[in-house]
Amino acid sequence: MVDAIGTVPTMKPLVIIGAGGHGRETLDVVEAVNAVAPTYEFQGFLAESADAALLERRQARLLGTVEWLALHDATYVIGIGASEVRRRIDTAIASYGREACVLVHPLASLGSDLRLAPGVILAAGARVTTNVSLGRHTHLNVNAVVSHDCVIGDYVTLSPGVLVNGNVTLGDGVFLGTGAIVLPGVEVGDGAVIGAGAVVTADVDPGETVVGVPARPVAPPVEDQQATLRSS
């Protein structure tokens, strides 16, 4: 590809942290972006280990662990589903001076007045409307939707088919399972987990796990209940 003045545009070296299924899905997004406009020169994966056969089929390399970024000038994204793992990795590599990119699949849909922090990934079919803030390394998987006037914290995961309605606040590290729905105006605290298919109609406390329709907190294990009774 040649730009308007006849020079070849420079592609940014990029690595994906995490070489599992989520990481390879992230590579799909990189390849889709490059198919429209060559943007990233994919260097390889950073991980403790990887399935060699799967990497070979993708013609990809395992470069080493995240410390590779301390010695090489490249942008990166974290292709790992677990919110807490993304947070730990982001904290660990902060001293390396590398900045994560924002990765948006060409089939994702972006509205107006958006604030996308470094590391945000939007998969195919993801939709973000207007006046929405997405925090660091937040992931919107296939066909996830965030409607108007939402504030989404850092390291949040929206699984496929999630629907977040307008004026919702999701704290840092929130995980929403496949097909979950959050109704307008709800606040979900840091580290909360929303089960697959749950419909959240009321605020969720930090660290709480809710499931069902309407979503209700999961009861603590029997041993925790007994400990509570003994101490009361």
Side-chain angles (χ1 to χ4, degrees), residues 23-62:
R24 286 179 277 110
E25 287 182 338
T26 301
L27 179 55
D28 289 343
V29 180
V30 173
E31 292 174 343
V33 169
N34 283 341
V36 174
T39 305
Y40 300 108
E41 183 180 357
F42 178 59
Q43 305 293 297
F45 292 100
L46 301 181
E48 296 289 342
S49 62
D51 187 313
L54 288 175
L55 290 191
E56 183 177 359
R57 278 157 49 183
R58 296 304 299 272
Q59 298 182 327
R61 297 184 297 160
L62 182 61

Side-chain angles (χ1 to χ4, degrees), residues 42-183:
F42 178 59
Q43 305 293 297
F45 292 100
L46 301 181
E48 296 289 342
S49 62
D51 187 313
L54 288 175
L55 290 191
E56 183 177 359
R57 278 157 49 183
R58 296 304 299 272
Q59 298 182 327
R61 297 184 297 160
L62 182 61
L63 301 173
T65 59
V66 293
E67 288 76 13
W68 185 93
L69 276 170
L71 303 175
H72 299 83
D73 187 8
T75 189
Y76 70 96
V77 284
I78 303 177
I80 295 173
S83 301
E84 176 58 23
V85 175
R86 294 204 298 276
R87 184 196 66 77
R88 291 202 305 266
I89 291 172
D90 189 31
T91 300
I93 64 179
S95 63
Y96 299 162
R98 313 299 179 212
E99 190 63 85
C101 66
V102 172
L103 196 57
V104 179
H105 195 287
L107 296 180
S109 176
L110 297 181
S112 59
D113 190 18
L114 305 179
R115 295 162 298 284
L116 308 183
V120 163
I121 299 176
L122 272 62
R127 170 67 173 153
V128 184
T129 65
T130 187
N131 186 31
V132 173
S133 174
L134 300 180
R136 288 184 67 84
H137 298 285
T138 280
H139 292 179
L140 273 65
N141 274 286
V142 175
N143 296 329
V145 175
V146 177
S147 192
H148 63 88
D149 305 310
C150 287
V151 177
I152 312 298
D154 298 335
Y155 318 114
V156 173
T157 300
L158 277 66
S159 299
V162 164
L163 172 57
V164 176
N165 283 276
N167 293 292
V168 164
T169 299
L170 301 181
D172 294 346
V174 170
F175 180 89
L176 292 94
T178 300
I181 298 173
V182 184
L183 295 190

